[in-house]
Amino acid sequence: MLAKRTVEQLRNVGFIGHGGTGKTSLAEAMLYTAGATDRLGRTGDGTTVMDYDPEEIKRQISINTSLAPLEWQGARVNLVDAPGYLDFIGEVRAALRVVEAAVVVVDAVAGVEVGTELHWRVADEYHLPRMVFVNRLDRENASFEKALATLEEVFGNRLVPLVIPVGAEAGLKGVVDLRAEAAHLYAGDASGKWEEAPVPDELSAAVAKARERLLEAAAECDDSLLEKYLEGEALTPGEVTAGLRQGVLAGTLVPVLCGSALKNVGTRELLDAVVEIFPSPADAGAVSGRHPRTGEPEQRRPAEDEAFSALVFKTMADPYVGKLTLFRVYSGLLRSNSDVYNATRDRTERIGQLYLVKGKHQEPVAAVAAGDLAAVAKLQETTTGDTLSDAARPVVLPPVQFPAPAYSMAIVPRSKGDEEKISAGLARLTEEDPTFRVRREAATHQTLISGMGELHLEVITDRLKRKFGVEVNLEPPRVPYRETIRSSARAEGKYKKQTGGRGQYGHVWIELEPLGDGQEFEFVDKIYGGVVPQQYRPAVEKGIREAMQEGVLAGYPVTGVRATLVDGSYHTVDSSEMAFKIAGSLAFKKGAGEAHPVLLEPIVRVEVRVPEQFMGDIMADLNKKRGKILGMEPEGRLQLIRALVPLAEMFQYAIDLRSITQGRGAYTMEFVGYEEVPAHIAQQIISQAKRDQ
């Protein structure tokens, strides 16, 4: 049972970094060292607290953000383990939105990787204090010095080591604590047990140099310490810690620690640093929001006696308790079995049992207070991004800003009759994952699912099978082409059918001409006299509209046409609405075929953000995709490239961009209109459509 902690005794910490750097293993080692678990879970065995989803166990990667609390030095540390793979960047944004600080985990062999840079950028957006943990120092070719050098090259000289390793690769024995000037030698059995020893002679010069750097960095963060340091007085470990804390909270310092999660080396030093140096929710101060009705600014202090406010940052489908809503309490107190106001949706929700979350397990609690990360089951109206608050003092907090999906595929059931189950399953999955979208493309009659990449959509389809019992295939989306005409034409449509009884007779003449200004269709009635009776004219329009849905070139809908009904004839007995509808359809097909029909393709406005070194390759690739470059401009450390590109060339762009930029690029796109397809490409599309008929 976790002890109740004051807001000053809480630490909410996100674990971020490139995929495969060992974030989950490090969290497991911390939980084990702190006594929160009785065994050291391993991702390779599928026994970790954090990676418990069947998909995570199967793939041996984190897919979801997971929570687990531990107790250390009289504080509660809430570990928030975020996925490292780029397809799950939405989970990273949600995790970092609700913590006060982040631990960036770096591989001692690979150094700074793409995910390190992207996650660091998100932490910058949220102005989060952070530390770096150089992990996997027990691996072959691991080097703390090289990893530190790459960190300084990319992120500047704010980084300052708190420890340096004792031994290297398979001979990793422990770390030297630079604040205490003592070696911590670990048992080597992954128990996390260590004993203090003098600094090894071979490391004395390196320790002296690193400690001087540490003392100088700490002193520069506090005027009184700087004065003492410059006068040659010794700084105590407590003073060094206080100086470091000021620097970390101000964002001018980033402490660096190191070790091995698998060997459980360096874990205790990280735990100490998290509790002693990282901010509590009280240090982070009041949060700002707005009143849901007046729009006026509102603030909430991180205190139990303040009006309640909380932000929902994740929704999960739990197999035992149903829909589970995870939220961060920013102010006040919330009790189990009470009512709360959803200020985002103007709804009152009934709160049942509240829980503190530890991986897949939930610990029931009577109440949660400012600073807590908690969960509640079976909320009816509330979704990710909503604010829960006191009805008497409502507030809406800024929601998590999720990236728009960048990769789409068409979803096709493997078995007939599964459409309803697929629809229900997809609806549930969109509730869980704000970076996943579903839409029906009317023009191509396809259901499209969109996510952050191939792996993301693979995971979605696997979940559909596991949770909802339906198997699907993914296919490339069809392009919603359109057809139009470039000249005018006059055409006759006559439908005459004689049977034993009453026959069918409809006869019209129509004139077709192109419409400008993006208009889709206009029907003009220019019948004088009664050559086509009034009651049959709407049927003519209906027949034309239906014929427009099938086109005359490749079966795509026709747009940008004015159809004028100018003449015709009727039979007093045999004419009917159906006959005139068919006549209108025949006239349109004939006229459209004579009015120089052309194929149109959708065009999207694309904005690509990339580091400068990739600009040339990106522009060459966009030109190859028939894009028109509109302009370029710097945007912080990135370059923004704007272009107009045919949608047909963009379906695989998420993969292409990731390949060209090694994952460092991002893009958005929006539909802007239709343009004529180049003749040689149009001919290929038309030929393919005829083969498919």
Side-chain angles (χ1 to χ4, degrees):
M1 187 75 177
L2 291 168
K4 188 178 187 307
R5 297 294 179 186
T6 65
V7 68
E8 290 80 12
Q9 294 172 319
L10 293 176
R11 302 288 185 274
N12 296 313
V13 183
F15 278 65
I16 57 174
H18 192 80
T21 54
K23 296 181 296 299
T24 301
S25 297
L26 182 59
E28 289 295 319
M30 294 171 75
L31 290 167
Y32 179 63
T33 299
T37 58
D38 55 10
R39 59 174 172 73
L40 185 61
R42 298 191 181 277
T43 53
D45 301 333
T47 56
T48 62
V49 171
M50 298 299 213
D51 285 356
Y52 58 85
D53 185 284
E55 288 302 315
E56 294 176 316
I57 294 170
K58 182 176 85 172
R59 298 172 188 272
Q60 296 187 16
I61 61 169
S62 296
I63 292 170
N64 305 295
T65 292
S66 298
L67 314 182
L70 60 83
E71 302 281 335
W72 192 258
Q73 288 190 22
R76 184 195 302 155
V77 180
N78 290 315
L79 306 181
V80 184
D81 181 26
Y85 283 85
L86 303 183
D87 283 18
F88 308 109
I89 188 69
E91 295 280 330
V92 176
R93 298 192 73 89
L96 293 187
R97 174 67 177 80
V98 295
V99 298
E100 278 77 40
V103 172
V104 182
V105 184
V106 173
D107 185 284
V109 177
V112 174
E113 297 173 88
V114 177
T116 321
E117 294 181 47
L118 294 180
H119 293 186
W120 191 283
R121 207 179 300 156
V122 178
D124 279 344
E125 282 182 43
Y126 291 127
H127 307 292
L128 289 180
R130 70 208 71 159
M131 294 179 188
V132 173
F133 188 86
V134 178
N135 192 24
R136 310 177 90 179
L137 275 170
D138 56 321
R139 292 177 68 206
E140 190 177 344
N141 298 322
S143 168
F144 177 68
E145 292 75 18
K146 286 182 181 177
L148 184 61
T150 64
L151 283 160
E152 290 172 331
E153 183 183 336
V154 177
F155 302 121
N157 58 6
R158 292 185 292 165
L159 297 114
V160 55
L162 294 192
V163 301
I164 63 172
V166 177
E169 301 181 2
L172 180 69
K173 296 175 183 175
V175 297
V176 173
D177 183 341
L178 297 175
R179 288 184 288 173
E181 284 188 286
H184 297 167
L185 303 180
Y186 280 76
D189 57 1
S191 65
K193 294 176 182 175
W194 57 268
E195 57 183 28
E196 190 169 299
V199 174
D201 292 341
E202 67 271 18
L203 288 177
S204 57
V207 167
K209 183 179 178 183
R211 177 170 163 78
E212 193 60 33
R213 177 178 173 182
L214 174 66
L215 293 175
E216 184 178 332
E220 286 177 348
C221 298
D222 185 290
D223 289 342
S224 61
L225 291 181
L226 183 59
E227 185 178 339
K228 188 175 179 181
Y229 174 74
L230 292 175
E231 289 176 356
E233 292 186 50
L235 300 182
T236 67
E239 288 174 328
V240 173
T241 299
L244 289 172
R245 194 169 193 273
Q246 285 190 46
V248 169
L249 268 60
T252 57
L253 279 186
V254 178
V256 182
L257 298 100
C258 64
S260 164
L262 287 181
K263 282 194 170 183
N264 203 356
V265 172
T267 315
R268 286 178 176 270
E269 292 73 19
L270 177 59
L271 281 164
D272 288 343
V274 163
V275 172
E276 294 167 4
I277 296 174
F278 268 167
S280 71
D283 295 314
V287 293
S288 299
R290 59 177 178 81
H291 194 284
R293 289 184 284 278
T294 66
E296 291 295 312
E298 294 274 345
Q299 283 205 325
R300 295 290 183 271
R301 293 178 299 107
E304 201 170 306
D305 60 357
E306 176 68 279
F308 174 73
S309 68
L311 179 71
V312 175
F313 65 94
K314 187 170 177 61
T315 305
M316 302 190 320
D318 186 274
Y320 303 108
V321 299
K323 179 180 168 184
L324 197 64
T325 300
L326 274 61
F327 59 93
R328 156 71 194 265
V329 183
Y330 281 95
S331 62
L333 182 75
L334 179 65
R335 299 187 185 280
S336 292
N337 304 311
S338 61
D339 290 332
V340 71
Y341 179 62
N342 184 326
T344 307
R345 302 185 182 278
D346 190 22
R347 294 282 188 275
T348 298
E349 287 274 24
R350 180 65 182 169
I351 298 293
Q353 178 64 60
L354 293 168
Y355 302 98
L356 296 182
V357 177
K358 181 179 177 182
K360 65 180 176 182
H361 301 292
Q362 297 100 36
E363 180 181 307
V365 290
V368 290
D372 280 331
L373 298 173
V376 63
K378 300 175 182 175
L379 294 187
Q380 299 301 311
E381 306 273 353
T382 301
T383 60
T384 302
D386 289 356
T387 300
L388 304 176
S389 72
D390 187 328
R393 285 189 61 200
V395 63
V396 174
L397 301 174
V400 182
Q401 296 297 320
F402 289 103
Y407 182 71
S408 299
M409 292 291 280
I411 191 167
V412 181
R414 289 187 189 174
S415 304
K416 286 188 176 181
D418 278 350
E419 287 83 356
E420 198 169 314
K421 287 167 73 176
I422 290 173
S423 179
L426 292 175
R428 289 280 298 278
L429 293 174
T430 54
E431 282 184 16
E432 288 186 37
D433 186 351
T435 62
F436 172 62
R437 310 268 173 83
V438 182
R439 77 178 191 277
R440 181 72 179 170
E441 183 61 69
T444 60
H445 309 292
Q446 288 183 307
T447 297
L448 301 185
I449 60 173
S450 304
M452 302 309 297
E454 281 181 292
L455 179 59
H456 189 189
L457 295 191
E458 275 181 31
V459 168
I460 290 290
T461 56
D462 285 345
R463 283 179 176 168
L464 265 180
K465 179 181 177 181
R466 178 169 49 82
K467 289 186 174 184
F468 304 99
V470 285
E471 295 191 57
V472 297
N473 293 326
L474 295 181
E475 298 177 353
R478 291 195 288 271
V479 182
Y481 292 109
R482 298 278 181 90
E483 299 177 17
T484 194
I485 57 174
R486 289 296 187 229
S487 64
S488 300
R490 180 182 171 98
E492 178 186 26
K494 179 181 279 189
Y495 180 64
K496 185 177 181 181
K497 187 175 183 182
Q498 200 63 46
T499 59
R502 180 180 170 181
Q504 294 285 346
Y505 184 87
H507 176 218
V508 295
W509 281 89
I510 63 170
E511 291 178 353
L512 300 179
E513 56 187 314
L515 263 180
D517 302 325
Q519 298 177 70
E520 292 194 2
F521 177 64
E522 182 183 341
F523 180 76
V524 180
D525 179 358
K526 277 195 177 179
I527 292 293
Y528 298 103
V531 290
V532 176
Q534 181 67 47
Q535 69 264 32
Y536 298 139
R537 296 173 200 173
V540 177
E541 180 182 353
K542 189 174 181 182
I544 293 172
R545 286 184 178 274
E546 286 187 5
M548 287 177 66
Q549 292 306 307
E550 296 178 1
V552 293
L553 285 175
Y556 292 101
V558 180
T559 187
V561 174
R562 176 186 288 121
T564 305
L565 178 60
V566 294
D567 203 355
S569 62
Y570 75 102
H571 189 281
T572 53
V573 176
D574 291 348
S575 286
S576 66
E577 287 187 12
M578 177 60 73
F580 274 97
K581 177 180 156 186
I582 295 171
S585 173
L586 294 171
F588 176 82
K589 288 176 182 176
K590 183 179 178 185
E594 297 171 355
H596 295 96
V598 294
L599 207 58
L600 303 176
E601 63 181 344
I603 303 296
V604 291
R605 180 183 288 110
V606 180
E607 293 190 348
V608 190
R609 289 167 175 81
V610 294
E612 189 168 356
Q613 68 262 37
F614 301 113
M615 274 184 64
D617 291 338
I618 290 298
M619 292 171 66
D621 183 64
L622 289 172
N623 284 325
K624 195 166 69 176
K625 288 176 163 53
R626 301 189 284 126
K628 298 174 187 172
I629 306 296
L630 300 178
M632 297 154 289
E633 61 185 74
E635 195 176 84
R637 291 185 294 181
L638 302 175
Q639 292 289 329
L640 172 64
I641 303 170
R642 293 189 177 91
L644 295 177
V645 189
L647 177 64
E649 305 286 348
M650 292 298 294
F651 288 131
Q652 296 293 313
Y653 194 60
I655 298 168
D656 295 344
L657 180 64
R658 191 170 292 180
S659 173
I660 294 169
T661 66
Q662 292 140 37
R664 290 177 171 84
Y667 79 102
T668 59
M669 68 180 189
E670 63 174 332
F671 171 76
V672 293
Y674 278 85
E675 289 184 6
E676 187 172 336
V677 180
H680 67 286
I681 297 175
Q683 195 53 53
Q684 294 172 13
I685 296 166
I686 294 166
S687 299
Q688 183 62 49
K690 288 177 178 175
R691 284 195 296 271
D692 292 342
Q693 286 176 354

